[in-house]
Amino acid sequence: MTNTTEKTSAVATDTRSKKDYSNYFQSAYQPPSLKDAKKRGKEAVKVLTDFNIPENLVNIGVGKKFYIRTYGCQMNEHDTEVMAGILTEMGYTATVSVDDADLVLLNTCAIRENAENKVFGELGHLKTAKANNPNLLLGVCGCMSQEESVVNKILKTYQNVDMIFGTHNIHRLPQIIENALFSKEMVVEVWSKEGDIVENLPRVRKGNVKGWVNIMYGCDKFCTYCIVPYTRGKERSRRPEDIIEEVRHLARNGYKEVTLLGQNVNAYGKDFTDIQYGLGDLMDEIRKIDIPRIRFTTSHPRDFDDRLIEVLAHQGNIVEHIHLPVQHGNSDVLKLMARKYTRESYLELVAKIKAAIPDAALTSDIIVGFPNETDEQFEETISLVKEVEFDAAYTFIYSPRDGTPAAKMEDNVPLEVKKERLQRLNAVLNDISLKKNKAYIGKIVEVLVEGESRKNADVLTGHSGANKVVNFAGPKHLIGEIVKVRITDAKTWNLGGEWIEEKAEVAN
Ligand code: 5AD
Ligand code: SF4
């Protein structure tokens, strides 16, 4: 547990005077600016490889425990693994409970208002934890920290927070913790810059079967509703050799599945100035690595090119699942969203993908209730969903995000109408999911077994290549393996089946 003795001993190892420290803390107050975060300059992306933990901080966590709560997308899951890696190198150990933690980090999501409200609710709960343990260090990081309004609200209302740091400051975690331990003020270090790439960060991965591999950071698409380009900086691609080495490393260590990650993976490589190299080229190299499964997410329809389709069509270890957010079915709304494609061009892309990969499962993200969405426009979303027949989709009611262009648009659609539209859309999607799942009955699919089912410990659960949840009875030693399952039962959200040991033709 954190105590003042540890604080003092760490100060003693540092040679700076008290006066030096006061300046140091002042400079650590760096609040975010959405205006700065919006800028996109011509400066080349810097790849930094000089991460190290200052000597005086290497043991600062010995005997202490950390707990990280992760909200939102896979990018946050990935960042949490990096923070866990840094903290482990500082001597901290992980705990699964806030109650015995000395350091709690909330890795937040800013994508919609309700995601933010969850975090504010948690900060409220943590007031008690902090009252019970005054030495508890509480930090807020992730996308919400990049928003001025959030930082101001925390400064005003949640004095129990010790540190706020941004998505570009993760590699500074040791110094931020040091500041927080020795400062009486809340430490705020949020850089609103376009971002660099830091290559040599440590990592503690969750599990040893499925691994995230980041291929690019940031987003330059600036869809008018979305806060991500402001919170995550500009599009910047990792060098292919670094990515390939990471995938090889996971393969050597027995991982069965790798998911290549980025906010907009189809823009991969567009920022390289010395090579012409895109996602298709990268996937073409990665598919030759001896690892059973490769996924990638998230795709933007606009940058999804023929080269990529050609590579995906080889299949092999590239799974037959493509997440292709459409957001809306009406071209005028797509224009207002600045998606830069039309209903027709999206449908053409889907037709091309289906022709090249007939068994591809397509999933999507869809927003209802964008400002002034008419009934007719909403009907076009419904008709697009029926035409494409998505296997599944994440659906959202539009949520205005401060600082984005859409948040300034007048909106004449009442919330009740938006809720009705969401329900109707979900009903249509569910019917299609059930129909598509029923078509699997009698087929044999490969399942990566992830563990016991939450509802029934006698049942194992995992995902098929097409990303369907498959439940079946089988021995526990199958966990972590890819096995064949004959589908016997289909529901809206999952498939049920029988484990088969003999070699059989795979049909998913
Ligand atoms: N309101 C509602 N949904 C949003 N998304 C992004 N921004 C918003 C917003 N302001 C959705 C998009 C995106 C997914 C990750 O979240 O559908 O693809
Ligand atoms: Fe947001 Fe659009 Fe970028 Fe996706 S592509 S992260 S929706 S701005």
Side-chain angles (χ1 to χ4, degrees):
M1 190 178 285
T2 312
N3 59 41
T4 33
T5 325
E6 276 153 350
K7 280 187 189 180
T8 324
S9 69
V11 172
T13 62
D14 199 296
T15 51
R16 279 169 294 198
S17 69
K18 263 218 148 88
K19 189 159 167 276
D20 286 337
Y21 262 117
S22 67
N23 290 334
Y24 192 51
F25 294 142
Q26 253 169 27
S27 69
Y29 182 70
Q30 298 176 29
S33 151
L34 281 184
K35 202 166 140 235
D36 289 346
K38 196 153 100 184
K39 289 181 193 152
R40 292 291 184 266
K42 292 226 167 0
E43 213 181 301
V45 173
K46 279 197 220 107
V47 180
L48 310 173
T49 53
D50 55 356
F51 172 82
N52 58 47
I53 297 174
E55 235 173 84
N56 64 318
L57 303 180
V58 170
N59 290 321
I60 212 166
V62 172
K64 298 178 195 168
K65 293 184 181 160
F66 75 86
Y67 174 88
I68 308 178
R69 181 159 293 177
T70 313
Y71 299 83
C73 68
Q74 290 106 329
M75 196 60 72
N76 269 11
E77 304 265 0
H78 162 276
D79 290 349
T80 289
E81 291 182 350
V82 171
M83 292 191 288
I86 297 175
L87 293 171
T88 304
E89 290 207 350
M90 293 170 74
Y92 284 95
T93 51
T95 172
V96 289
S97 154
V98 170
D99 297 332
D100 66 347
D102 304 282
L103 170 64
V104 172
L105 295 178
L106 302 187
N107 190 5
T108 64
C109 170
I111 201 101
R112 282 169 293 276
E113 194 185 356
N114 55 6
E116 297 203 345
N117 287 341
K118 275 190 213 156
V119 172
F120 287 124
E122 186 59 25
L123 284 176
H125 293 140
L126 285 167
K127 282 184 179 169
T128 326
K130 188 85 191 200
N132 292 341
N133 175 8
N135 288 323
L136 174 74
L137 264 195
L138 174 56
V140 176
C141 54
C143 285
M144 280 172 71
S145 331
Q146 296 290 141
E147 297 178 280
E148 287 148 71
S149 57
V150 168
V151 171
N152 289 336
K153 183 165 171 177
I154 293 176
L155 282 165
K156 218 169 119 197
T157 321
Y158 298 96
Q159 273 300 317
N160 54 333
V161 172
D162 299 287
M163 52 190 177
I164 307 177
F165 58 98
T167 56
H168 302 297
N169 304 67
I170 289 175
H171 63 292
R172 297 250 321 139
L173 185 55
Q175 291 84 351
I176 293 165
I177 290 178
E178 182 191 25
N179 288 351
L181 282 172
F182 304 118
S183 168
K184 288 202 168 55
E185 305 297 320
M186 196 184 295
V187 171
V188 179
E189 189 185 293
V190 184
W191 296 339
S192 297
K193 58 182 215 161
E194 297 176 46
D196 306 314
I197 291 178
V198 190
E199 263 312 328
N200 63 333
L201 292 172
R203 188 95 176 255
V204 174
R205 292 181 189 269
K206 196 171 157 195
N208 53 7
V209 176
K210 292 163 92 169
W212 312 116
V213 173
N214 213 317
I215 66 166
M216 62 180 303
Y217 300 90
C219 181
D220 287 347
K221 287 290 172 283
F222 287 100
C223 300
T224 55
Y225 51 81
C226 186
I227 194 75
V228 170
Y230 307 79
T231 62
R232 290 274 170 184
K234 76 172 163 194
E235 284 173 356
R236 46 209 198 277
S237 308
R238 286 179 72 199
R239 300 297 300 186
E241 55 277 16
D242 291 329
I243 298 168
I244 291 164
E245 182 40 43
E246 191 175 334
V247 177
R248 286 212 176 108
H249 172 80
L250 292 174
R252 280 195 299 272
N253 284 282
Y255 279 74
K256 297 287 188 319
E257 181 177 299
V258 153
T259 303
L260 306 178
L261 271 190
Q263 245 81 39
N264 168 18
V265 286
N266 302 74
Y268 177 76
K270 290 195 190 299
D271 53 317
F272 291 147
T273 50
D274 57 336
I275 44 172
Q276 280 261 341
Y277 193 91
L279 182 64
D281 303 308
L282 181 70
M283 296 291 284
D284 201 22
E285 292 202 51
I286 291 184
R287 76 185 176 84
K288 294 169 193 151
I289 298 176
D290 187 15
I291 190 154
R293 276 188 181 176
I294 298 162
R295 301 185 180 278
F296 63 105
T297 196
T298 289
S299 285
H300 192 300
R302 185 177 168 218
D303 296 322
F304 208 110
D305 57 25
D306 291 350
R307 165 81 174 124
L308 178 62
I309 297 177
E310 174 206 317
V311 174
L312 298 183
H314 283 105
Q315 295 197 253
N317 56 358
I318 304 177
V319 297
E320 61 283 20
H321 170 219
I322 298 171
H323 185 62
L324 194 63
V326 64
Q327 312 297 0
H328 208 278
N330 171 269
S331 293
D332 291 332
V333 177
L334 287 170
K335 193 159 187 200
L336 287 173
M337 289 177 160
R339 291 291 289 178
K340 307 220 169 66
Y341 54 83
T342 59
R343 173 191 175 91
E344 291 70 31
S345 64
Y346 183 90
L347 289 172
E348 271 167 33
L349 174 61
V350 167
K352 254 200 242 176
I353 293 172
K354 285 185 174 174
I357 316 158
D359 56 356
L362 283 175
T363 58
S364 204
D365 293 346
I366 302 172
I367 295 177
V368 303
F370 190 74
N372 307 313
E373 179 193 57
T374 63
D375 276 333
E376 293 72 26
Q377 288 170 332
F378 170 68
E379 289 307 324
E380 285 200 63
T381 292
I382 297 282
S383 69
L384 181 133
V385 163
K386 288 183 175 163
E387 193 167 336
V388 176
E389 295 206 307
F390 292 112
D391 285 76
Y394 296 104
T395 55
F396 313 102
I397 291 183
Y398 164 72
S399 168
R401 305 284 67 213
D402 241 6
T404 61
K408 296 187 193 83
M409 296 176 188
E410 297 262 323
D411 187 2
N412 63 11
V413 188
L415 185 59
E416 274 317 304
V417 173
K418 296 187 187 205
K419 285 185 180 164
E420 280 165 21
R421 286 179 186 167
L422 184 72
Q423 269 184 8
R424 170 117 189 278
L425 174 60
N426 285 341
V428 171
L429 280 161
N430 291 350
D431 284 350
I432 297 170
S433 294
L434 183 59
K435 180 181 129 188
K436 293 214 119 184
N437 283 351
K438 280 189 170 160
Y440 277 92
I441 292 180
K443 289 187 180 173
I444 292 166
V445 300
E446 286 191 341
V447 180
L448 173 52
V449 189
E450 284 146 37
E452 292 167 3
S453 149
R454 248 182 286 167
K455 284 188 199 144
N456 181 351
D458 294 334
V459 172
L460 296 176
T461 187
H463 284 84
S464 71
N467 214 30
K468 305 279 176 187
V469 173
V470 182
N471 299 317
F472 63 99
K476 306 276 183 255
H477 69 79
L478 296 183
I479 294 172
E481 301 297 322
I482 294 180
V483 301
K484 291 186 167 78
V485 175
R486 180 179 288 108
I487 302 303
T488 53
D489 180 32
K491 302 206 170 65
T492 307
W493 309 113
N494 55 55
L495 302 171
E498 292 160 354
W499 172 50
I500 40 174
E501 284 182 86
E502 73 271 21
K503 283 218 169 293
E505 192 92 337
V506 173
N508 63 329

